[in-house]
Amino acid sequence: MAAANVSQILADTLSADANTRIAAELKLSEAGLALAQLILAQDVDIPLRQISSFSSCCNIRLFISGSSIILRKYVKERWSPYFESFKGNAPSVEVKSRIRHAVLQGLSDSNRKIRSLCAHTMSYIGNCDWPDEYPELLNSLIALISSSSSDAVHGAMQVFTEFIKSDLTEDQILPVLRQLLPVLLTILGSTEQHTPLTRARTVSVFRQCVTALYMVKDQHPQAVKEAIATILPVWLEAFKVLLNLDPLKDVSNQDNWDGLAVRIQIFKTLDVIHTSFPRAMTSYVRGYLDASLRHLQVMSETYDTFYISGSGSAPGSSEEETVEIPHLICPLFDFVSNVVRGGKAKEWLQAENLNSVEETWATNANAFVAHEEDDTQAYGVRVAGFELLYTILNRSPAQICATFQTTIHQVIGTSQRARENGSTAWWKPLEASLAAIGSQSEDVLECIENEQDSGRAKPIDVEDLLANVVPSILNQSDFPFLQGRGFVFASQFARLLPLQMAGQYLEAAMHVIESSSAGIPVKISAVKAIHNFCEGAEDSAITPFASRIAQDLGPFLLVTTEDTLSLVLETMSVVLDVNRGQWLTTDLSNSLVLAVLEVWAKNNKDPIFLSIFTEIFTSLASSTGTGVYETVVKQALPTLCTAIAGSKPQEAWIAGSAIDLISSLVRGAPEGGLGDGFFALLAPSLFSCLGEAEDRDVLQNGMACLALIVRKDCRQILEWQDPSGQSGLDHILKVIARLLQNDDESGGLVIGDLIIHLLRRAGEAVLPVLPELLQAMVSRMLSAKTATFIQSLVVPFAFLTYNQQDTVLYLLESTTTNGRNALDILIQTWCENAETFQGFWQSRVSTLALTKLYASGRPSLQSLMVKGDIILKPETKNVIMTRSRTKTTPHQFTSVPFPVKALKLLVHDLRAGGDSATIPKAEFDVDSDDGDEEWTEEEQQNQGFKQEEFAFLSEMLGPRGVNFDNDDILEEMDDEDLRNDAISQIDMQAHLVSFFKECASHNVNGFSANIEQLSAEEIMVVRHAI
């Protein structure tokens, strides 16, 4: 197709007539070569050449502002099956070659937009064809960036930006970098020849190269080490030189701030280098930190002009890329934070520099953002700054808090003078300073407490601010952001407020909420302040106001949306927790339930909102106020049951969320039970839904709800009957049977919890159906795949074994499933998965049941052979076994008698419990590039952590710490019934030691012979125990 014809077709694509336009676009889909040639045709108008690179399925007349590229569309749809959108009719090898050549030439076009469009197209072609069908691409691109043409360099660099990121394999990276990086460095240094944006792209490509090196350092350690030693110092020196140039020159241009792009990419790259190869940075860190601080100091005035006071408009960049000062500040803060966090800035973070950093943040950089959107704010300068403050505060808490004290008073004075001089932005530094200190409130409070406990003076007097500064701020209604910040700041330090002052702040916050003249920013801040007060202040300070707060928040529920609604809901949730809702009345609880249900009906698909709804319903139902629980159930349960019954299959989230809310009511119900008629009202709609539902969430929520009801009021389940005479227990067993037959195993633990609680609570009522239930569970073990689902099948047997050993073993010995004995299936499954069981109670009952099985000496167990230890082969030793390797070289295991395997599992549990017989850790001295040679002696002993930090991790992770056995941290993951169960109260360490001693002293079940079949380490643990 001739270029002239293509020109006419392109003109037709702009036609207002739909038929003409569609016909033209169809013709263009076959005109790849002609399109490529047209792009290069210098005698064609630029707009038409651009159109040849553009297409739009909606309106091609918008080609300059953002339509798709016709040639790129052609490549994606006609080039190769490599692309998901491929529609067939791939061009011949010759045509492809000519198109590649034309597009490559387009990278050097004199028009910037043509170059950029060709770069995008070439990136697609490269993704598909390089290196197999287009091996010369890399050399061609390097030739372009090595040429003297700035246009060619500009076009090729845009391709490289994507190319290094996605196309180089680990074997190609090192050869390419040797060839590429010297050329990139030359471009970076050619300030007169190449534009700042092109030079910035060289740094971006270099950063991707560093990341690529890091990814292959384990496969090619020596080559990467040599590359780092020769490459990084040269680039780090170049960065040092560039950062020492005056940054103000980059923002003095009124047309664009392109020069900032180089600095932005340098700080991003420094962060990557510090993370990947910190040792290479050692001698440069101090200089880069100085440069970072200098940038903050020098740029603060410009930032204030364009982003705070609003007296100027930032010009942006000369191309489509966004180049702004915030884009420089964020990576700068990130880099400094990571260096400080890694412990490499101790000398730099001495008094003078710490004060400089903090003063820069508090007086100018602290006002980098004039507003914030609470906890949902996008990552930006303020968030990055808070992160930096957090990092340095954790390194030198007392010193930073003292700097806070000095700086906040400087800012107060400066703001007052600015206000007297008529500045309209006088309040912004003060607001940002309060935001900065408030963002670190927990650490500041901890520092104050630690200093006072040590007999030293408070490094910062927050009480003085709360008593003498913040109250006047609360009256600044003309400056709502500052006024709102005052409320939030006071609430962040609620612990320090005397009871009377806390009441005064709460009164002021409620006055704002109730005021018709207060603006949205300050009202939202007042709500957030109330949220913080309820979480941080004593209940005695909040209780007198709780009812009024709830009444004030109620109307907000019906008029707010999205993030604001989330804040109001969260605040309502914490208010209802004050003094366990004792202050609630039936009228107030009734109105709150109605409001929450109305909000739920509009937002029942949002998982974030749903989590808050459930908390609110639990709090309402658990209120100790007279008649409140009955009122909440009377108002909520019928509505939720109706929603379950009326939910359509394509709207499964309605039923799922309604069931979730009912579970919340059950969770909050009093210990005496759910109240008459609760289950009778719920059962028909719930069982009907669970009998037909296919949605995973609905089924899981339903099982969880039934488990809660079994725990809270099993009597109602056993007494209820449907019109056909089937009981609630019959229906539950039907649901369990249905889920056991389901191929989806995602609800595994939920099924197990329900079965466990049925066995614990239903007592003799479950005995008639027990054989059938156990057989169904054993049968499902044969096809179960996921660890959680297998656990849900095994743990009920463990519980029955512990409590009714002879009965359950008799049932299993006399049952056959698919030609195999049921006891054999259970024991094989149990032994293979016991070490993966989750949950405090679940793991314990498994361990206890294994001790009983071993001690039973039952003949049917002695002959069972099960999977033992893994067999280590030379080809798999010290090799990470990936999925593909495991397929070709599968693991093999020894085969051992069940009694031996049981002892192995029990020894493992004994070691995990923190016994002193645990095997000492081997010590290795491996040369690494983690840069820890500059850690303090304390940090070297504790892997980079402070002693108290490492002590906490040791306690968490074991094996000689709590190791979740003394499991306060995971308490909330287990329900209250199981936490209070006798099994949870057993001293498992002492029990296991006693078990081993008893077995040894009486040679239980051939103990001495079985011990000889353990590993040397396991034998050592047993001998220590006995």
Side-chain angles (χ1 to χ4, degrees), residues 36 95 168 195 209 375 407 503 661 741:
V95 171
L168 294 182
T195 66
C209 294
D375 295 330
T407 305
L661 292 184
Q741 296 169 5

Side-chain angles (χ1 to χ4, degrees), residues 38 40 255 300 346 380 384 412 477 505 519 575 703 801 855 878 898:
L38 184 60
L40 302 180
D255 296 327
S300 60
K346 290 183 177 62
I412 292 170
S477 56
Y505 273 110
V575 170
M703 299 292 280
T801 300
N878 297 326
F898 165 72

